[in-house]
Amino acid sequence: MSDTRERLLDAAEALYAARGVDAVSLREILQEAGARNATAVQYHFGDRAGILRAIFARHAPEVEARRHALLDAYEDGEQGVRPLAAALVRPMAARLADPSGRAYLQISADVVNRPEPIAPLGVRDDPRDSLCRWRAIVEPLLEEDAARLHRRFTAILYSSIELGRRARSGPRTDDRLFTSYLIDVVTAILGAPVSPETRRLAAERDAARR
């Protein structure tokens, strides 16, 4: 059973990365995996959201461990916005070295870059989750208006899209420059001041909602 599950997961990961989550049917995953039982996907995962949760869970241990280690270093004295930008980027960028990791990064970018969240990247409030911990540590460093305008999500979205783009371009011999520059840009996103125009427009929007 576990072999079938892994083959289904491998097939889903490859297909979702190549064509996008919405363009792949459960039947195609079955065919790609060579599964004989027509209900194998439902048995092992339930539905598409279940497959996505399993893909994210496959990569979570390494990503979580790396991010928690960087956040530990920050809390032990490595202060500033850039180390926090690095804690967001580096654990995911490390997956560029692995074919399955590159597929995961493309899927992650697809999942996060849509109006309605899909289960794996929904709202998470578990303090054991490294991204939740990252959000909590970053928030006090942001201007109040920047936090209100979801600056942290903007940083997550940008880094996810750029990592997915890098993953699609194929394996590289060296991702260090790309990673360092992406950290620079995420640092700028987190630390950029909110302009007077944006403050005014946000206030007008909020007043209209009352």
Side-chain angles (χ1 to χ4, degrees), residues 15-56:
L15 289 169
Y16 285 161
R19 291 164 47 196
V21 170
D22 295 327
V24 178
S25 69
L26 299 185
R27 182 182 295 277
E28 288 175 296
I29 294 171
L30 280 168
Q31 292 173 343
E32 181 72 15
R36 297 178 181 178
N37 189 335
T39 63
V41 172
Q42 289 89 340
Y43 175 81
H44 288 284
F45 306 106
D47 54 14
R48 183 184 67 174
I51 296 173
L52 288 169
R53 282 192 292 270
I55 290 172
F56 277 68

Side-chain angles (χ1 to χ4, degrees), residues 72-83:
D72 288 344
Y74 176 84
E75 291 184 327
D76 286 341
E78 191 180 2
Q79 299 297 303
V81 176
R82 195 175 193 278

